[in-house]
mmCIF file of all heavy atoms in Angstrom:
data_model
loop_
_atom_site.group_PDB
_atom_site.id
_atom_site.type_symbol
_atom_site.label_atom_id
_atom_site.label_comp_id
_atom_site.label_asym_id
_atom_site.label_seq_id
_atom_site.Cartn_x
_atom_site.Cartn_y
_atom_site.Cartn_z
ATOM 1 N N SER Q 11 15.923 1.039 2.987
ATOM 2 C CA SER Q 11 17.354 1.228 2.737
ATOM 3 C C SER Q 11 17.781 0.513 1.454
ATOM 4 O O SER Q 11 18.638 1.013 0.713
ATOM 5 C CB SER Q 11 18.176 0.731 3.924
ATOM 6 O OG SER Q 11 18.152 -0.685 4.029
ATOM 7 N N TYR Q 12 17.195 -0.635 1.168
ATOM 8 C CA TYR Q 12 17.513 -1.346 -0.079
ATOM 9 C C TYR Q 12 16.911 -0.639 -1.291
ATOM 10 O O TYR Q 12 17.568 -0.500 -2.332
ATOM 11 C CB TYR Q 12 17.002 -2.784 -0.019
ATOM 12 C CG TYR Q 12 17.945 -3.742 0.652
ATOM 13 C CD1 TYR Q 12 17.722 -4.172 1.955
ATOM 14 C CD2 TYR Q 12 19.075 -4.227 -0.014
ATOM 15 C CE1 TYR Q 12 18.595 -5.058 2.584
ATOM 16 C CE2 TYR Q 12 19.952 -5.110 0.600
ATOM 17 C CZ TYR Q 12 19.707 -5.521 1.901
ATOM 18 O OH TYR Q 12 20.573 -6.384 2.519
ATOM 19 N N VAL Q 13 15.667 -0.192 -1.175
ATOM 20 C CA VAL Q 13 15.037 0.508 -2.300
ATOM 21 C C VAL Q 13 15.806 1.792 -2.619
ATOM 22 O O VAL Q 13 15.934 2.181 -3.783
ATOM 23 C CB VAL Q 13 13.557 0.820 -1.987
ATOM 24 C CG1 VAL Q 13 12.940 1.684 -3.087
ATOM 25 C CG2 VAL Q 13 12.762 -0.478 -1.846
ATOM 26 N N ALA Q 14 16.353 2.419 -1.589
ATOM 27 C CA ALA Q 14 17.107 3.662 -1.774
ATOM 28 C C ALA Q 14 18.401 3.452 -2.558
ATOM 29 O O ALA Q 14 19.035 4.430 -2.991
ATOM 30 C CB ALA Q 14 17.414 4.299 -0.424
ATOM 31 N N GLU Q 15 18.795 2.198 -2.767
ATOM 32 C CA GLU Q 15 19.987 1.894 -3.556
ATOM 33 C C GLU Q 15 19.712 1.931 -5.059
ATOM 34 O O GLU Q 15 20.564 1.576 -5.872
ATOM 35 C CB GLU Q 15 20.526 0.503 -3.180
ATOM 36 C CG GLU Q 15 21.076 0.416 -1.763
ATOM 37 C CD GLU Q 15 22.266 1.337 -1.550
ATOM 38 O OE1 GLU Q 15 23.144 1.386 -2.432
ATOM 39 O OE2 GLU Q 15 22.287 2.032 -0.512
ATOM 40 N N THR Q 16 18.518 2.366 -5.443
ATOM 41 C CA THR Q 16 18.171 2.525 -6.858
ATOM 42 C C THR Q 16 19.053 3.598 -7.505
ATOM 43 O O THR Q 16 19.432 4.576 -6.856
ATOM 44 C CB THR Q 16 16.690 2.940 -6.989
ATOM 45 O OG1 THR Q 16 15.871 1.931 -6.395
ATOM 46 C CG2 THR Q 16 16.279 3.112 -8.450
ATOM 47 N N GLU Q 17 19.354 3.410 -8.785
ATOM 48 C CA GLU Q 17 20.122 4.410 -9.529
ATOM 49 C C GLU Q 17 19.491 5.786 -9.350
ATOM 50 O O GLU Q 17 18.273 5.945 -9.444
ATOM 51 C CB GLU Q 17 20.155 4.014 -11.010
ATOM 52 C CG GLU Q 17 21.078 4.848 -11.850
ATOM 53 C CD GLU Q 17 21.172 4.351 -13.288
ATOM 54 O OE1 GLU Q 17 20.674 3.230 -13.561
ATOM 55 O OE2 GLU Q 17 21.730 5.072 -14.127
ATOM 56 N N LYS Q 18 20.339 6.778 -9.107
ATOM 57 C CA LYS Q 18 19.892 8.099 -8.661
ATOM 58 C C LYS Q 18 18.832 8.721 -9.570
ATOM 59 O O LYS Q 18 17.847 9.294 -9.094
ATOM 60 C CB LYS Q 18 21.088 9.034 -8.543
ATOM 61 C CG LYS Q 18 20.783 10.363 -7.857
ATOM 62 C CD LYS Q 18 22.043 11.180 -7.600
ATOM 63 C CE LYS Q 18 22.918 10.484 -6.560
ATOM 64 N NZ LYS Q 18 24.110 11.346 -6.210
ATOM 65 N N LYS Q 19 18.981 8.609 -10.882
ATOM 66 C CA LYS Q 19 18.044 9.278 -11.785
ATOM 67 C C LYS Q 19 16.641 8.672 -11.748
ATOM 68 O O LYS Q 19 15.668 9.317 -12.125
ATOM 69 C CB LYS Q 19 18.583 9.289 -13.209
ATOM 70 C CG LYS Q 19 18.715 7.920 -13.868
ATOM 71 C CD LYS Q 19 19.267 8.074 -15.295
ATOM 72 C CE LYS Q 19 19.467 6.726 -15.964
ATOM 73 N NZ LYS Q 19 19.996 6.881 -17.349
ATOM 74 N N PHE Q 20 16.548 7.421 -11.290
ATOM 75 C CA PHE Q 20 15.235 6.766 -11.206
ATOM 76 C C PHE Q 20 14.664 6.781 -9.784
ATOM 77 O O PHE Q 20 13.500 6.433 -9.581
ATOM 78 C CB PHE Q 20 15.342 5.312 -11.675
ATOM 79 C CG PHE Q 20 15.795 5.153 -13.095
ATOM 80 C CD1 PHE Q 20 16.948 4.427 -13.396
ATOM 81 C CD2 PHE Q 20 15.077 5.716 -14.135
ATOM 82 C CE1 PHE Q 20 17.367 4.269 -14.709
ATOM 83 C CE2 PHE Q 20 15.488 5.571 -15.452
ATOM 84 C CZ PHE Q 20 16.641 4.843 -15.739
ATOM 85 N N LEU Q 21 15.498 7.152 -8.814
ATOM 86 C CA LEU Q 21 15.110 7.015 -7.404
ATOM 87 C C LEU Q 21 13.837 7.773 -7.031
ATOM 88 O O LEU Q 21 12.975 7.202 -6.346
ATOM 89 C CB LEU Q 21 16.271 7.441 -6.507
ATOM 90 C CG LEU Q 21 16.044 7.278 -4.992
ATOM 91 C CD1 LEU Q 21 15.717 5.823 -4.650
ATOM 92 C CD2 LEU Q 21 17.271 7.751 -4.220
ATOM 93 N N PRO Q 22 13.651 9.038 -7.432
ATOM 94 C CA PRO Q 22 12.418 9.741 -7.040
ATOM 95 C C PRO Q 22 11.148 9.012 -7.490
ATOM 96 O O PRO Q 22 10.199 8.865 -6.707
ATOM 97 C CB PRO Q 22 12.556 11.108 -7.724
ATOM 98 C CG PRO Q 22 14.029 11.300 -7.866
ATOM 99 C CD PRO Q 22 14.570 9.941 -8.173
ATOM 100 N N ASP Q 23 11.137 8.560 -8.746
ATOM 101 C CA ASP Q 23 9.942 7.860 -9.248
ATOM 102 C C ASP Q 23 9.745 6.521 -8.545
ATOM 103 O O ASP Q 23 8.608 6.132 -8.235
ATOM 104 C CB ASP Q 23 10.057 7.635 -10.758
ATOM 105 C CG ASP Q 23 9.880 8.913 -11.565
ATOM 106 O OD1 ASP Q 23 9.277 9.861 -11.028
ATOM 107 O OD2 ASP Q 23 10.342 8.956 -12.709
ATOM 108 N N VAL Q 24 10.839 5.818 -8.279
ATOM 109 C CA VAL Q 24 10.747 4.518 -7.615
ATOM 110 C C VAL Q 24 10.252 4.687 -6.175
ATOM 111 O O VAL Q 24 9.368 3.949 -5.719
ATOM 112 C CB VAL Q 24 12.111 3.798 -7.642
ATOM 113 C CG1 VAL Q 24 12.112 2.603 -6.682
ATOM 114 C CG2 VAL Q 24 12.431 3.328 -9.058
ATOM 115 N N LEU Q 25 10.805 5.666 -5.461
ATOM 116 C CA LEU Q 25 10.358 5.912 -4.085
ATOM 117 C C LEU Q 25 8.897 6.335 -4.032
ATOM 118 O O LEU Q 25 8.168 5.971 -3.104
ATOM 119 C CB LEU Q 25 11.234 6.965 -3.417
ATOM 120 C CG LEU Q 25 12.600 6.504 -2.918
ATOM 121 C CD1 LEU Q 25 13.371 7.674 -2.325
ATOM 122 C CD2 LEU Q 25 12.467 5.382 -1.890
ATOM 123 N N LYS Q 26 8.463 7.078 -5.029
ATOM 124 C CA LYS Q 26 7.060 7.501 -5.087
ATOM 125 C C LYS Q 26 6.143 6.289 -5.200
ATOM 126 O O LYS Q 26 5.126 6.189 -4.494
ATOM 127 C CB LYS Q 26 6.852 8.443 -6.274
ATOM 128 C CG LYS Q 26 5.449 9.011 -6.375
ATOM 129 C CD LYS Q 26 5.342 9.981 -7.542
ATOM 130 C CE LYS Q 26 3.937 10.546 -7.671
ATOM 131 N NZ LYS Q 26 3.838 11.502 -8.826
ATOM 132 N N VAL Q 27 6.502 5.358 -6.073
ATOM 133 C CA VAL Q 27 5.697 4.147 -6.253
ATOM 134 C C VAL Q 27 5.746 3.284 -4.987
ATOM 135 O O VAL Q 27 4.713 2.816 -4.494
ATOM 136 C CB VAL Q 27 6.190 3.321 -7.462
ATOM 137 C CG1 VAL Q 27 5.446 1.988 -7.547
ATOM 138 C CG2 VAL Q 27 6.003 4.106 -8.748
ATOM 139 N N PHE Q 28 6.937 3.095 -4.444
ATOM 140 C CA PHE Q 28 7.099 2.230 -3.279
ATOM 141 C C PHE Q 28 6.368 2.791 -2.062
ATOM 142 O O PHE Q 28 5.672 2.055 -1.344
ATOM 143 C CB PHE Q 28 8.575 2.041 -2.961
ATOM 144 C CG PHE Q 28 8.834 1.122 -1.808
ATOM 145 C CD1 PHE Q 28 8.593 -0.243 -1.913
ATOM 146 C CD2 PHE Q 28 9.312 1.606 -0.597
ATOM 147 C CE1 PHE Q 28 8.822 -1.103 -0.849
ATOM 148 C CE2 PHE Q 28 9.537 0.760 0.474
ATOM 149 C CZ PHE Q 28 9.296 -0.597 0.348
ATOM 150 N N THR Q 29 6.486 4.096 -1.827
ATOM 151 C CA THR Q 29 5.841 4.721 -0.665
ATOM 152 C C THR Q 29 4.327 4.658 -0.777
ATOM 153 O O THR Q 29 3.627 4.330 0.189
ATOM 154 C CB THR Q 29 6.308 6.178 -0.519
ATOM 155 O OG1 THR Q 29 7.737 6.200 -0.389
ATOM 156 C CG2 THR Q 29 5.692 6.827 0.703
ATOM 157 N N ARG Q 30 3.815 4.966 -1.962
ATOM 158 C CA ARG Q 30 2.363 4.885 -2.173
ATOM 159 C C ARG Q 30 1.869 3.461 -1.936
ATOM 160 O O ARG Q 30 0.839 3.232 -1.288
ATOM 161 C CB ARG Q 30 2.004 5.324 -3.594
ATOM 162 C CG ARG Q 30 0.495 5.366 -3.867
ATOM 163 C CD ARG Q 30 0.209 5.535 -5.335
ATOM 164 N NE ARG Q 30 0.532 4.335 -6.103
ATOM 165 C CZ ARG Q 30 0.481 4.272 -7.426
ATOM 166 N NH1 ARG Q 30 0.145 5.325 -8.143
ATOM 167 N NH2 ARG Q 30 0.788 3.144 -8.050
ATOM 168 N N THR Q 31 2.630 2.489 -2.436
ATOM 169 C CA THR Q 31 2.235 1.088 -2.296
ATOM 170 C C THR Q 31 2.262 0.645 -0.837
ATOM 171 O O THR Q 31 1.353 -0.052 -0.380
ATOM 172 C CB THR Q 31 3.165 0.193 -3.144
ATOM 173 O OG1 THR Q 31 3.098 0.615 -4.501
ATOM 174 C CG2 THR Q 31 2.745 -1.267 -3.052
ATOM 175 N N ALA Q 32 3.299 1.049 -0.105
ATOM 176 C CA ALA Q 32 3.393 0.696 1.317
ATOM 177 C C ALA Q 32 2.184 1.236 2.077
ATOM 178 O O ALA Q 32 1.610 0.543 2.934
ATOM 179 C CB ALA Q 32 4.690 1.244 1.902
ATOM 180 N N LYS Q 33 1.787 2.456 1.769
ATOM 181 C CA LYS Q 33 0.617 3.054 2.412
ATOM 182 C C LYS Q 33 -0.653 2.289 2.050
ATOM 183 O O LYS Q 33 -1.496 2.003 2.912
ATOM 184 C CB LYS Q 33 0.502 4.521 1.998
ATOM 185 C CG LYS Q 33 -0.675 5.259 2.609
ATOM 186 C CD LYS Q 33 -0.616 6.743 2.271
ATOM 187 C CE LYS Q 33 -0.880 7.012 0.802
ATOM 188 N NZ LYS Q 33 -2.306 6.806 0.435
ATOM 189 N N GLU Q 34 -0.787 1.937 0.784
ATOM 190 C CA GLU Q 34 -1.992 1.229 0.334
ATOM 191 C C GLU Q 34 -2.091 -0.159 0.964
ATOM 192 O O GLU Q 34 -3.189 -0.605 1.317
ATOM 193 C CB GLU Q 34 -1.988 1.123 -1.194
ATOM 194 C CG GLU Q 34 -2.265 2.445 -1.886
ATOM 195 C CD GLU Q 34 -2.203 2.356 -3.398
ATOM 196 O OE1 GLU Q 34 -1.426 1.522 -3.917
ATOM 197 O OE2 GLU Q 34 -2.929 3.115 -4.065
ATOM 198 N N VAL Q 35 -0.968 -0.854 1.100
ATOM 199 C CA VAL Q 35 -0.989 -2.177 1.730
ATOM 200 C C VAL Q 35 -1.503 -2.067 3.165
ATOM 201 O O VAL Q 35 -2.302 -2.905 3.618
ATOM 202 C CB VAL Q 35 0.413 -2.818 1.697
ATOM 203 C CG1 VAL Q 35 0.460 -4.068 2.577
ATOM 204 C CG2 VAL Q 35 0.800 -3.177 0.265
ATOM 205 N N CYS Q 36 -1.065 -1.033 3.888
ATOM 206 C CA CYS Q 36 -1.539 -0.820 5.260
ATOM 207 C C CYS Q 36 -3.031 -0.477 5.275
ATOM 208 O O CYS Q 36 -3.771 -0.925 6.163
ATOM 209 C CB CYS Q 36 -0.731 0.276 5.945
ATOM 210 S SG CYS Q 36 0.996 -0.165 6.257
ATOM 211 N N GLU Q 37 -3.477 0.290 4.293
ATOM 212 C CA GLU Q 37 -4.907 0.603 4.190
ATOM 213 C C GLU Q 37 -5.707 -0.682 3.974
ATOM 214 O O GLU Q 37 -6.774 -0.878 4.586
ATOM 215 C CB GLU Q 37 -5.146 1.571 3.037
ATOM 216 C CG GLU Q 37 -4.621 2.976 3.282
ATOM 217 C CD GLU Q 37 -4.615 3.858 2.041
ATOM 218 O OE1 GLU Q 37 -4.949 3.343 0.950
ATOM 219 O OE2 GLU Q 37 -4.267 5.045 2.164
ATOM 220 N N GLY Q 38 -5.193 -1.546 3.114
ATOM 221 C CA GLY Q 38 -5.867 -2.820 2.864
ATOM 222 C C GLY Q 38 -5.947 -3.672 4.106
ATOM 223 O O GLY Q 38 -6.981 -4.309 4.380
ATOM 224 N N GLN Q 39 -4.872 -3.695 4.886
ATOM 225 C CA GLN Q 39 -4.875 -4.467 6.126
ATOM 226 C C GLN Q 39 -5.904 -3.914 7.113
ATOM 227 O O GLN Q 39 -6.570 -4.675 7.814
ATOM 228 C CB GLN Q 39 -3.478 -4.464 6.750
ATOM 229 C CG GLN Q 39 -3.381 -5.210 8.078
ATOM 230 C CD GLN Q 39 -3.664 -6.694 7.955
ATOM 231 O OE1 GLN Q 39 -3.665 -7.246 6.856
ATOM 232 N NE2 GLN Q 39 -3.925 -7.341 9.069
ATOM 233 N N GLN Q 40 -6.038 -2.589 7.158
ATOM 234 C CA GLN Q 40 -7.025 -2.001 8.061
ATOM 235 C C GLN Q 40 -8.446 -2.372 7.638
ATOM 236 O O GLN Q 40 -9.295 -2.691 8.479
ATOM 237 C CB GLN Q 40 -6.879 -0.483 8.112
ATOM 238 C CG GLN Q 40 -7.817 0.190 9.112
ATOM 239 C CD GLN Q 40 -7.582 -0.271 10.533
ATOM 240 O OE1 GLN Q 40 -6.497 -0.126 11.067
ATOM 241 N NE2 GLN Q 40 -8.600 -0.854 11.150
ATOM 242 N N TYR Q 41 -8.713 -2.327 6.329
ATOM 243 C CA TYR Q 41 -10.036 -2.764 5.855
ATOM 244 C C TYR Q 41 -10.276 -4.221 6.263
ATOM 245 O O TYR Q 41 -11.379 -4.590 6.690
ATOM 246 C CB TYR Q 41 -10.136 -2.630 4.335
ATOM 247 C CG TYR Q 41 -10.417 -1.234 3.852
ATOM 248 C CD1 TYR Q 41 -9.576 -0.621 2.917
ATOM 249 C CD2 TYR Q 41 -11.530 -0.518 4.296
ATOM 250 C CE1 TYR Q 41 -9.833 0.665 2.460
ATOM 251 C CE2 TYR Q 41 -11.791 0.755 3.843
ATOM 252 C CZ TYR Q 41 -10.937 1.351 2.927
ATOM 253 O OH TYR Q 41 -11.202 2.621 2.478
ATOM 254 N N ASP Q 42 -9.247 -5.040 6.138
ATOM 255 C CA ASP Q 42 -9.372 -6.452 6.510
ATOM 256 C C ASP Q 42 -9.755 -6.581 7.983
ATOM 257 O O ASP Q 42 -10.623 -7.376 8.352
ATOM 258 C CB ASP Q 42 -8.043 -7.169 6.235
ATOM 259 C CG ASP Q 42 -8.187 -8.684 6.197
ATOM 260 O OD1 ASP Q 42 -9.325 -9.186 6.090
ATOM 261 O OD2 ASP Q 42 -7.156 -9.373 6.268
ATOM 262 N N LEU Q 43 -9.114 -5.797 8.830
ATOM 263 C CA LEU Q 43 -9.440 -5.811 10.259
ATOM 264 C C LEU Q 43 -10.858 -5.304 10.497
ATOM 265 O O LEU Q 43 -11.598 -5.855 11.325
ATOM 266 C CB LEU Q 43 -8.438 -4.951 11.031
ATOM 267 C CG LEU Q 43 -7.005 -5.470 11.127
ATOM 268 C CD1 LEU Q 43 -6.102 -4.424 11.764
ATOM 269 C CD2 LEU Q 43 -6.952 -6.770 11.930
ATOM 270 N N ASN Q 44 -11.245 -4.254 9.759
ATOM 271 C CA ASN Q 44 -12.598 -3.711 9.922
ATOM 272 C C ASN Q 44 -13.656 -4.762 9.618
ATOM 273 O O ASN Q 44 -14.689 -4.856 10.295
ATOM 274 C CB ASN Q 44 -12.809 -2.521 8.988
ATOM 275 C CG ASN Q 44 -11.979 -1.308 9.370
ATOM 276 O OD1 ASN Q 44 -11.380 -1.267 10.435
ATOM 277 N ND2 ASN Q 44 -11.931 -0.320 8.490
ATOM 278 N N TYR Q 45 -13.401 -5.552 8.575
ATOM 279 C CA TYR Q 45 -14.396 -6.515 8.118
ATOM 280 C C TYR Q 45 -14.591 -7.668 9.093
ATOM 281 O O TYR Q 45 -15.607 -8.359 9.039
ATOM 282 C CB TYR Q 45 -14.011 -7.058 6.737
ATOM 283 C CG TYR Q 45 -13.983 -5.996 5.644
ATOM 284 C CD1 TYR Q 45 -13.303 -6.217 4.449
ATOM 285 C CD2 TYR Q 45 -14.635 -4.774 5.810
ATOM 286 C CE1 TYR Q 45 -13.272 -5.247 3.451
ATOM 287 C CE2 TYR Q 45 -14.599 -3.805 4.828
ATOM 288 C CZ TYR Q 45 -13.917 -4.040 3.650
ATOM 289 O OH TYR Q 45 -13.884 -3.081 2.676
ATOM 290 N N GLU Q 46 -13.625 -7.868 9.985
ATOM 291 C CA GLU Q 46 -13.758 -8.947 10.965
ATOM 292 C C GLU Q 46 -14.954 -8.709 11.886
ATOM 293 O O GLU Q 46 -15.597 -9.659 12.331
ATOM 294 C CB GLU Q 46 -12.477 -9.070 11.797
ATOM 295 C CG GLU Q 46 -11.301 -9.653 11.021
ATOM 296 C CD GLU Q 46 -10.054 -9.795 11.881
ATOM 297 O OE1 GLU Q 46 -10.166 -9.610 13.118
ATOM 298 O OE2 GLU Q 46 -8.985 -10.086 11.331
ATOM 299 N N SER Q 47 -15.253 -7.452 12.170
ATOM 300 C CA SER Q 47 -16.362 -7.129 13.077
ATOM 301 C C SER Q 47 -17.576 -6.576 12.339
ATOM 302 O O SER Q 47 -18.579 -6.232 12.959
ATOM 303 C CB SER Q 47 -15.895 -6.104 14.128
ATOM 304 O OG SER Q 47 -15.394 -4.936 13.501
ATOM 305 N N GLN Q 48 -17.468 -6.496 11.018
ATOM 306 C CA GLN Q 48 -18.579 -5.981 10.215
ATOM 307 C C GLN Q 48 -19.451 -7.142 9.766
ATOM 308 O O GLN Q 48 -18.972 -8.082 9.129
ATOM 309 C CB GLN Q 48 -18.008 -5.239 9.002
ATOM 310 C CG GLN Q 48 -19.017 -4.434 8.219
ATOM 311 C CD GLN Q 48 -18.339 -3.581 7.153
ATOM 312 O OE1 GLN Q 48 -17.313 -2.938 7.417
ATOM 313 N NE2 GLN Q 48 -18.895 -3.586 5.946
ATOM 314 N N GLU Q 49 -20.728 -7.094 10.111
ATOM 315 C CA GLU Q 49 -21.617 -8.232 9.849
ATOM 316 C C GLU Q 49 -21.775 -8.512 8.367
ATOM 317 O O GLU Q 49 -21.713 -9.655 7.919
ATOM 318 C CB GLU Q 49 -22.996 -7.981 10.469
ATOM 319 C CG GLU Q 49 -23.923 -9.183 10.391
ATOM 320 C CD GLU Q 49 -25.224 -8.966 11.141
ATOM 321 O OE1 GLU Q 49 -25.255 -8.162 12.089
ATOM 322 O OE2 GLU Q 49 -26.227 -9.616 10.759
ATOM 323 N N LYS Q 50 -21.973 -7.471 7.564
ATOM 324 C CA LYS Q 50 -22.140 -7.643 6.125
ATOM 325 C C LYS Q 50 -21.055 -6.878 5.381
ATOM 326 O O LYS Q 50 -20.851 -5.690 5.610
ATOM 327 C CB LYS Q 50 -23.530 -7.160 5.684
ATOM 328 C CG LYS Q 50 -24.672 -8.036 6.185
ATOM 329 C CD LYS Q 50 -26.005 -7.576 5.620
ATOM 330 C CE LYS Q 50 -27.138 -8.490 6.077
ATOM 331 N NZ LYS Q 50 -28.453 -8.057 5.528
ATOM 332 N N VAL Q 51 -20.378 -7.577 4.501
ATOM 333 C CA VAL Q 51 -19.328 -6.964 3.680
ATOM 334 C C VAL Q 51 -19.679 -7.190 2.214
ATOM 335 O O VAL Q 51 -19.664 -8.332 1.746
ATOM 336 C CB VAL Q 51 -17.946 -7.573 3.981
ATOM 337 C CG1 VAL Q 51 -16.882 -6.944 3.076
ATOM 338 C CG2 VAL Q 51 -17.584 -7.393 5.450
ATOM 339 N N PRO Q 52 -20.020 -6.142 1.482
ATOM 340 C CA PRO Q 52 -20.295 -6.314 0.049
ATOM 341 C C PRO Q 52 -19.065 -6.863 -0.676
ATOM 342 O O PRO Q 52 -17.930 -6.515 -0.322
ATOM 343 C CB PRO Q 52 -20.627 -4.896 -0.425
ATOM 344 C CG PRO Q 52 -21.043 -4.161 0.818
ATOM 345 C CD PRO Q 52 -20.216 -4.745 1.916
ATOM 346 N N ILE Q 53 -19.284 -7.696 -1.677
ATOM 347 C CA ILE Q 53 -18.157 -8.277 -2.414
ATOM 348 C C ILE Q 53 -17.294 -7.184 -3.030
ATOM 349 O O ILE Q 53 -16.057 -7.313 -3.056
ATOM 350 C CB ILE Q 53 -18.670 -9.254 -3.492
ATOM 351 C CG1 ILE Q 53 -19.195 -10.531 -2.816
ATOM 352 C CG2 ILE Q 53 -17.574 -9.603 -4.497
ATOM 353 C CD1 ILE Q 53 -19.783 -11.557 -3.762
ATOM 354 N N LYS Q 54 -17.890 -6.093 -3.477
ATOM 355 C CA LYS Q 54 -17.099 -5.009 -4.069
ATOM 356 C C LYS Q 54 -16.130 -4.414 -3.048
ATOM 357 O O LYS Q 54 -15.018 -3.996 -3.399
ATOM 358 C CB LYS Q 54 -17.994 -3.928 -4.662
ATOM 359 C CG LYS Q 54 -18.835 -3.158 -3.663
ATOM 360 C CD LYS Q 54 -19.660 -2.069 -4.350
ATOM 361 C CE LYS Q 54 -20.538 -1.308 -3.367
ATOM 362 N NZ LYS Q 54 -19.757 -0.596 -2.320
ATOM 363 N N ASP Q 55 -16.542 -4.368 -1.780
ATOM 364 C CA ASP Q 55 -15.648 -3.863 -0.737
ATOM 365 C C ASP Q 55 -14.502 -4.845 -0.481
ATOM 366 O O ASP Q 55 -13.367 -4.437 -0.229
ATOM 367 C CB ASP Q 55 -16.419 -3.633 0.560
ATOM 368 C CG ASP Q 55 -17.347 -2.426 0.466
ATOM 369 O OD1 ASP Q 55 -17.313 -1.721 -0.562
ATOM 370 O OD2 ASP Q 55 -18.113 -2.196 1.421
#
């Protein structure tokens, strides 16, 4: 609701960045959970 208060002409681009980022943060958290039970985790992962 706060992000949606962006100036109208910039809102589509801002929401695109914010939504993608929110999804990626959740993906990162899931990888973190996966690694808790994974015996070997390569540093690149």
